[in-house]
Every structure is written in structure tokens, then in C-alpha cells.
Amino acid sequence: MIEFLDYVSPEARAIGAVNVIRVVHEGKNIKLKGYNSDVIGFTQSIEPMLESHHKGALVLGTGGASKAVAYGLKSLGIEPVFVSRYERPGTIQYESITPEVVHEYPVIVNCTPLGMFPKVDACPKLPYEALDDRNILYDLIYNPDETLFMKLGARQGAAVKNGLEMLLLQAFASWEFWNGKE
């Protein structure tokens, strides 16, 4: 879609994904402007949870949402590392996540569908026993309200949050884009 747009925001271009398009009428001409609201929704939602020791993050998954999350984390001064089931350049695999890795990257963001309704008994494979109150587990899933990923983290004292607020903040950002308040 990006190649058909007259303008692409810097965030959307960096991520390689557009999820909001504004149609602008300039006389007889129509201009299409592309944006990505995932970055705004995610960063505004997680930022209040962050503390000075949150320097690194594990981004679970390598799909479109994970790229927006990684971009947002970098904008907040947090270094993201992608986690994949498969060996890919620039990623680590789930089997490589040790308790030491969890301590080095205390923010963990689930960008996979694991745990989403109706498969609520699934969750990413992590050393949950190594989590503590210095960790944040953020799940982009919001159905169910509390995923198994979040439950296992909360049991260890980690701060947890689902993606519902992100979704709402994305909607607000989209409204602003559509109405020309860029």
C-alpha cells in the first residue's frame, strides 16, 4: 500500500507499515497520506509503567505489530531484541531466553497471538520463574483480559498490562490523523 501513497509519516516508513490513511482533497486532486497508529498507542500505553532500570526489551514475535513496538521502545530509550521461533538474522530464539536474559531485558512484550481467545491456555515459552517485580509483561492481546502470559508474570510480581488501552489510544490517534491534526 505504501507505494500508492503521496505521503508516508516517518514512523510508518521506518516500520514499513501503514494502518491509517487520510484522504486529502486539494481542489480536483486527491492526496493519500499514510500513518501508523500502533506506535502511538503502544508508547503512550507503556510509558507510565517504565522505570529507570527498564533499558532493554524482548519483543516476542516478528510480525507487523512487533516492528511498531520495537520502534516505539527505541523512541522511549529502550533497546529491543526480537524473539522468534525460527533462526532469523537479528533475532534470538525462545530456547535462548535464560533467567539472565530476562534480567537483562526486563520489559517483555508479547506481539504473538499466543493466548488469544479461544486458545487461552497457550503462552510464549519463557522462564517465568525468573521474573520479579522489576519486570514488565505487556501483552498486545486484550481478549481475554488477562492472558496466561500475564497471569504467570503477575504470580512472580511482574507488572502486567494487556493491549486494550493501546487499542483505544490507536483509535484516538487515527481520529487525529483523519481530521488533519498530524
Side-chain angles (χ1 to χ4, degrees):
M1 183 60 163
I2 288 177
E3 66 187 80
F4 299 106
L5 301 175
D6 299 296
Y7 168 83
V8 177
S9 72
E11 298 84 6
R13 187 159 308 283
I15 296 162
V18 165
N19 66 355
V20 179
I21 296 175
R22 179 173 177 217
V23 179
V24 179
H25 297 274
E26 296 177 353
K28 292 184 180 188
N29 295 322
I30 294 176
K31 302 281 186 188
L32 300 177
K33 297 183 172 188
Y35 305 91
N36 189 298
S37 64
D38 289 344
V39 174
I40 294 167
F42 175 72
T43 55
Q44 288 180 357
S45 179
I46 197 169
E47 189 171 25
M49 301 176 75
L50 298 174
E51 296 180 28
S52 60
H53 65 272
H54 294 128
K55 304 276 188 225
L58 297 175
V59 178
L60 310 180
T62 56
S66 69
K67 290 170 183 57
V69 163
Y71 184 95
L73 289 165
K74 285 180 189 174
S75 76
L76 294 169
I78 298 171
E79 191 55 41
V81 172
F82 288 101
V83 180
S84 176
R85 291 176 290 172
Y86 310 107
E87 193 144 338
R88 295 182 176 161
T91 68
I92 63 171
Q93 286 62 59
Y94 287 93
E95 302 80 42
S96 301
I97 301 175
T98 63
E100 293 77 27
V101 171
V102 166
H103 292 293
E104 185 177 351
Y105 298 94
V107 178
I108 304 173
V109 184
N110 182 28
C111 301
T112 76
L114 285 173
M116 185 185 311
F117 182 82
K119 298 180 180 180
V120 297
D121 293 330
C123 68
K125 186 176 183 224
L126 299 171
Y128 291 96
E129 69 283 353
L131 300 173
D132 60 30
D133 62 357
R134 296 176 57 82
N135 290 100
I136 294 174
L137 270 63
Y138 191 107
D139 202 332
L140 268 55
I141 294 170
Y142 48 87
N143 183 14
D145 289 338
E146 187 180 36
T147 61
L148 182 56
F149 168 75
M150 294 168 61
K151 287 177 186 174
L152 293 172
R155 283 184 196 152
Q156 300 301 118
V160 298
K161 189 169 193 174
N162 73 20
L164 183 58
E165 183 182 45
M166 176 182 166
L167 178 68
L168 295 172
L169 292 167
Q170 285 179 264
F172 297 145
S174 297
W175 182 261
E176 296 287 316
F177 290 138
W178 289 324
N179 289 286
K181 297 174 180 148
E182 349 180 329

